[in-house]
Amino acid sequence: MAQVLLKNVCKRYGEVTAVRDVSLAIEDRQFCVLVGPSGCGKTTTLRMIAGLEDITEGEIWVGERVVNYVHPKDRDIAMVFQNYALYPHMTVEENMGFGLRVRRFPKDEIKQRTDEAAGVLDIMQYLDRTPRELSGGQKQRVAVGRAIVRKPKVFLFDEPLSNLDAKLRVQMRAQLKKLHERLQTTIVYVTHDQVEAMTLGDIIVVMKDGVIQQVGEPLTVYDNPCNRFVAGFIGTPPMNFIEVTVRRSGGAVVLDEGGFSVTLPPVLAAKAAAYDGKPATLGIRPEHIHDKATYTGAANAGNTVEAGVDVVELLGNEKHLHLAAGSSMFVAVVDAHIAAHAGRKLPVVFDMDKVHLFDKETENAVF
Amino acid sequence: MADAPTSGQSVSPDPVSPSPASEAVRARKNILWRKTNVGYLFLLPNISGFMLFTLIPVVVSLGLSLFSWDILQPARFVGLQNFVELFKDRDFWRYLWNTVYLMAGIPINMLIALLVAMLINRKLPGIIAYRTIYFTPVISPMVAVAMLWRLILNGDTGLLNATIRMVQSSVKGFLTGIAGWFQGSFVSDALVGLANIAATRPPNWLGDPAWSKPALILTGMWGFGYSMLLYLAALQSIPDDLYEAARIDGASAWTQFWKITWPMLSFVNFFIIIMSVIGGFQAFGIQYVMTQGGPAGSTTTIVYYIYRNAFEWFKMGYASAIAWVLFGIIFALTIIQWNMRKRMGEYF
Amino acid sequence: MADTNMMRRLKRRKMLRQAANLVLLYGGMTALAVILIIPFLWTLSTSLKHPAEVFAFPPRFIPQQIHWRNYADAWMRVPFGRYFINSIIVSCSVTLGQVFTSALAAFAFARLDFPGRNKLFLGYLGTMMIPGQVTMIPVFIVCKQLNLIDTYAALILPGLFSAYGTFMLRQFFLTIPKDLEEAAIIDGLNYWQIFTHVIVPLSKPALFTLGTFVFLGAWNDFMWPLIVTNADSMKTLPVGLAAFQGQYSTDWTLLMAGSVIVLTPVLLLYIVNQRFITKGFVMSGLKG
């Protein structure tokens, strides 16, 4: 039985449709991440689950019942906000216990739950401070603590790490992951940061313009994006897109950029055959473009490209090479010690087994 | 997943626990009821006041202006007669003139306010103390202000006239003394003549119909603090780099004022004028306390006239008619102000 | 060598000039401040004089003998004590009432959704344009018919509602971050609890500023109490003082003592809160 179920959910504000026909089943104890650019509808969807927005069409189930018209406080959910939303005039302890106090839980149970949550989040020493005296990371932990004491069926997170600085974000990510393992509760998490999505989610839901683009495990979505948007959104640095024409040449299928061409391996060639003569988009991830000189695999005319180096970015552990070939620009991620200089030529090898092809009109992935 | 009933389907109700369908329907009604009515509940105290003390009286007042009523006897419908009478009422026009005359103090006040604002628009220690002092007259109760100025403006030996006479006598003594050196010549005569002019009796401010309005204007000058604050806020919102760029370009202080400061103040200027004029039309208290509208009606304002008609002579209908004419004037001015504010909104 | 000497001389000259400017500036500002304060000082000084001294020529600021009796007389005889109490009762009631009703209404307009909300709010804004002179006659008539003349009800009730206060607080409430209320909703608070536990504690400065304004306005209010009170025992301080002037028009020492009594609470309130008050006045002006 799915813990959270969305059936054809729509949200309209007058003329504008923010969420369009979203259907999603989130299993019990799953960490589900809704990810996408600003305005894609992920936050609206989350707020509809929480009950902070009305549902224009469709049904939302939490546990065993429809919650469309159930008050947020009765939905058995808890929410962590981007700006923490801590009551400024109450101490940490009071903040965490407030929801329980309102529900008239006995005092000792409140204390017990609060202490337990504080222990888990390592904020015991802040219990009698006010939010003003805490740092961003500490406040965020208090916000999480407030959600934990409620022991809800589902945790909802609305971009909780967006307001933290980069270093803190990395720390908190790890903590959240550990927390999930410890709590064993369903989590629905919204973020625009695909790194958070990849590292935290059991399943990720990529959304754009109110529509779900793809649902799946992170690695699946990474390796097999179903359309150009997902392919370009997930992964850093983003996938390279090169406009090509598909051509049959002899028994092989070739992707012709105009300035250079690469040959598809037989498995993929079969799938691309239908596009003979048509334009398409070639997608290849930066880490699948290798320096020919140090490439250990087979390099031949079918997968080698003579590129010119435009910019070299040294990151310490790797180099990002901005290359140009034909009339296309693309980025390769190589080992930091590869010799490459701006303005010079560098032959590179495309790993053709890992290549993707996208239909030019529909932008769906052919493979 | 198992088939679950949607909120629209009908399911035979379980006598023990409500079916999901009806529960959902009830939940929906609950939430909708709450959403609509909570707002009204919160609004209730305020709205009842609004109805009772603003909305209904406005309508009633409009109606009243078409009647003639002195409370004791039943009201008599007279249609627009009150307004016609008002048009022919010489006192009305006189008092309207008084009201407008008193607004002559507005530009004077604005000038003082602007100069002082520019003076104290700096980050110096103790500046706030000065600002506080300059604003104090504004928050003082009108009655106290009126009475103390009545004391000061007393015709014979009120503080103002006493001070003037002391200055006069020293000036006279000085001029007469110098005249003594040039004894016999025309210079001496001229100086003595000047000395005599300097010694003319200062006016009986509140007792002389010709001087009563200027006296009130003088009193009003004491309260420049409000406009001063507005100017201060506006001056502080002008970015410093405009002035710095001008200085580098070689502009003099005078040019800087006219080309930078003055245009940026146009909104505040306009606002102060409109608010002061609207306030000026509603002037009443000071005149009531200081001069009782006199001497000889020289300081009676429109609102004072409304007051007397309504609460001294009990001509309710007539008073309402005057009030509505006043409202019309103020309304027109306020509309202008709102429109200007909307247009000027780009700057703020 | 010659350069450094010249530099030193130029620097000294500049510093002298700046010092001179500063002296002029402070001198001018102080002179102006003194001129503005003189009327207040004169009030105080007159209130402590013997009646014969009031118009002595040349005028003196320090009375020959300090007559504290004037205050006792004013308090008992006039009776300013009674007026003072009336003013306190009326001003405090109006302040508490108006701030409370305005806050409730402002919350409704800012955060609650109900049909007709925006139109109603525009209506409120519209009433801010209506001068009090239009409504005072009918309200007076109603009070008279209901026999409320010379009662606290007539003095207090009309002041309990204010479109301006509602407007100001609504603008302020709109700036409170919404997610705090949403967290409260999820925590299970109803709207009343959200109002008392979230909105009010966060609005203390705004509520306080509004309260100060309302108090000042109610304390200084002249026209309405004038209209609605005849009996001496019900007059508020401003009206009582003015009426007293009619009766004892030459008893300046008592009049000035009365003025000091009217002025003192206001000045105290002002000095303590001057930053709030001046800021509030400016905001009400520019943002209105």
Side-chain angles (χ1 to χ4, degrees), chain B residues 74-113:
Chain B
R76 212 170 23 101
F77 182 78
V78 291
L80 295 175
Q81 180 65 11
N82 282 331
F83 292 95
V84 173
E85 210 182 302
L86 190 58
F87 194 71
K88 296 194 273 185
D89 185 349
R90 226 167 341 132
D91 281 337
F92 170 71
W93 292 106
R94 211 169 122 229
Y95 299 148
L96 189 58
W97 165 244
N98 283 348
T99 315
V100 174
Y101 186 128
L102 287 174
M103 297 191 210
I106 294 176
I108 304 177
N109 261 26
M110 284 171 68
L111 185 62
I112 301 179

Side-chain angles (χ1 to χ4, degrees), chain C residues 160-225:
Chain C
L160 287 184
F161 133 82
S162 153
Y164 175 69
T166 309
F167 175 72
M168 194 203 112
L169 286 182
R170 171 195 185 257
Q171 302 303 96
F172 184 79
F173 287 165
L174 284 178
T175 66
I176 297 181
K178 220 169 176 193
D179 49 3
L180 206 48
E181 292 162 52
E182 291 175 345
I185 291 180
I186 294 183
D187 267 343
L189 276 70
N190 60 35
Y191 281 112
W192 173 250
Q193 289 169 313
I194 294 181
F195 179 71
T196 46
H197 283 89
V198 176
I199 301 281
V200 168
L202 285 181
S203 314
K204 287 216 182 94
L207 292 174
F208 192 67
T209 309
L210 181 66
T212 310
F213 262 73
V214 175
F215 186 84
L216 278 180
W219 185 267
N220 294 351
D221 192 15
F222 181 70
M223 191 160 193
W224 180 249

